[in-house]
C-alpha cells in the first residue's frame, strides 16, 4: 500500500523516496505526467522542486539542478 502524502499528523512512512535532478522542471513535469504520475505539491512554481506520485501512489520529487 502506498504512503499518504502528506502523512496525516506526520505519521506513517514514505518507505522510499526519490529526488530526481532535472535541468528543466516544466519539461520533466510534462514527461512524468504523460507517464501517469500525478501532482502532489506543485503549486509554488518559484521553488526548485515539485512533488509527484507515481501511478502506484509512491511520492517522488523533481529537483532543478
Amino acid at each position: 500500500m502506498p504512503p499518504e502524502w502528506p502523512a496525516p499528523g506526520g505519521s506513517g512512512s514514505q518507505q522510499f523516496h526519490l529526488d530526481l535532478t532535472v535541468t528543466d522542471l516544466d519539461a520533466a513535469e510534462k514527461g512524468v505526467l504523460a507517464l501517469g504520475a500525478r501532482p502532489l505539491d506543485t503549486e509554488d512554481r518559484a521553488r526548485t522542486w515539485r512533488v509527484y506520485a507515481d501511478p502506484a501512489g509512491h511520492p517522488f520529487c523533481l529537483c532543478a539542478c
Side-chain angles (χ1 to χ4, degrees):
M1 178 172 171
E4 294 182 41
W5 179 269
S11 64
S13 167
Q14 289 190 20
Q15 300 167 3
F16 194 81
H17 179 92
L18 293 176
D19 288 335
L20 305 170
T21 302
V22 300
T23 55
D24 183 332
L25 277 173
D26 293 329
E29 178 179 70
K30 287 179 186 177
V32 298
L33 294 176
L35 291 170
R38 63 183 169 86
L40 295 178
D41 186 1
T42 61
E43 295 81 26
D44 185 352
R45 306 307 261 189
R47 284 190 318 216
T48 59
W49 52 272
R50 300 175 191 163
V51 185
Y52 303 86
D54 70 15
H58 299 97
F60 68 94
C61 291
L62 296 179
C63 307
C65 57

